[in-house]
Amino acid sequence: MELIQRNPQLAAYLAADDVVDHRHPLVRETADRLACGTIDAYSYAKAAYEFVRDEIPHSQDTGDLRVTWRASDVLAERTGICCAKSHALAALLRAEAIPAALCYQRLADDDGSHPFVHGLVAVRLPARDAWARIDARGNKPGVDARFSLDEERLAWKARPEFNEVDYSVLYDVPHAAVMKALKAAPDRPSLWPIYPTEL
């Protein structure tokens, strides 16, 4: 699949905003801590990915009712759904001057019911001319996502027979439909009925 930058300017994928707030002191402090002991952009990106994947549980897995969406809040509260965790990972990557994009899949339950938008990150490391999608959702039985630049190791592969989709667009800012739902929901049970089923 060809990944397409929504914004042609690579610098846009390094920017900070109110969601991917990588200038926030907690994001900066976390990035500095993760950078200790890494030797290059690859090892830092892998460390940041594994931190978000393993140290920030997916709220659905833990039963946490809180809804987070701002990267610094995801790091502070140590919880979030896939899109929120993607915001945190993008912020940590951008904090170390590594271009990071937000991208999405349309997935569904095992029988094809209850479609939903799943959030990912695409990273573009120095000396590489291509983006690579990575999925920091968090592993669990049946899910084994890995940091991999050459062969995708996402939590799930899209199944066309169930109308699942890999969206090819790489966003420099979170998708408006995702953000509208995250900002409107007072808790996770309130989120799912208003969460987008497609983009």
Side-chain angles (χ1 to χ4, degrees), residues 49-86:
Y49 166 81
E50 290 178 348
F51 172 77
V52 175
R53 183 193 66 187
D54 300 340
E55 301 300 325
I56 301 175
H58 191 290
S59 56
Q60 181 75 25
D61 295 347
T62 61
D64 196 315
L65 300 182
R66 294 172 292 172
V67 174
T68 54
W69 51 267
R70 184 178 288 112
S72 56
D73 291 339
V74 175
L75 295 177
E77 302 295 332
R78 293 294 182 99
T79 191
I81 66 165
C82 56
C83 289
K85 293 184 64 171
S86 293

Side-chain angles (χ1 to χ4, degrees), residues 17-124:
D17 58 28
D18 66 332
V19 181
V20 184
D21 58 341
H22 63 75
R23 293 194 182 98
H24 187 281
L26 179 57
V27 179
R28 208 36 279 157
E29 174 191 320
T30 305
D32 290 345
R33 187 175 73 252
L34 291 169
C36 289
T38 62
I39 58 172
D40 56 18
Y42 177 92
S43 59
Y44 172 80
K46 186 173 187 285
Y49 166 81
E50 290 178 348
F51 172 77
V52 175
R53 183 193 66 187
D54 300 340
E55 301 300 325
I56 301 175
H58 191 290
S59 56
Q60 181 75 25
D61 295 347
T62 61
D64 196 315
L65 300 182
R66 294 172 292 172
V67 174
T68 54
W69 51 267
R70 184 178 288 112
S72 56
D73 291 339
V74 175
L75 295 177
E77 302 295 332
R78 293 294 182 99
T79 191
I81 66 165
C82 56
C83 289
K85 293 184 64 171
S86 293
H87 301 162
L89 178 56
L92 290 172
L93 293 169
R94 293 182 186 186
E96 291 295 308
I98 297 172
L102 300 161
C103 48
Y104 304 91
Q105 294 175 306
R106 180 183 191 262
L107 301 176
D109 288 348
D110 288 340
D111 61 357
S113 64
H114 304 103
F116 62 94
V117 171
H118 179 58
L120 310 168
V121 169
V123 61
R124 187 163 173 177

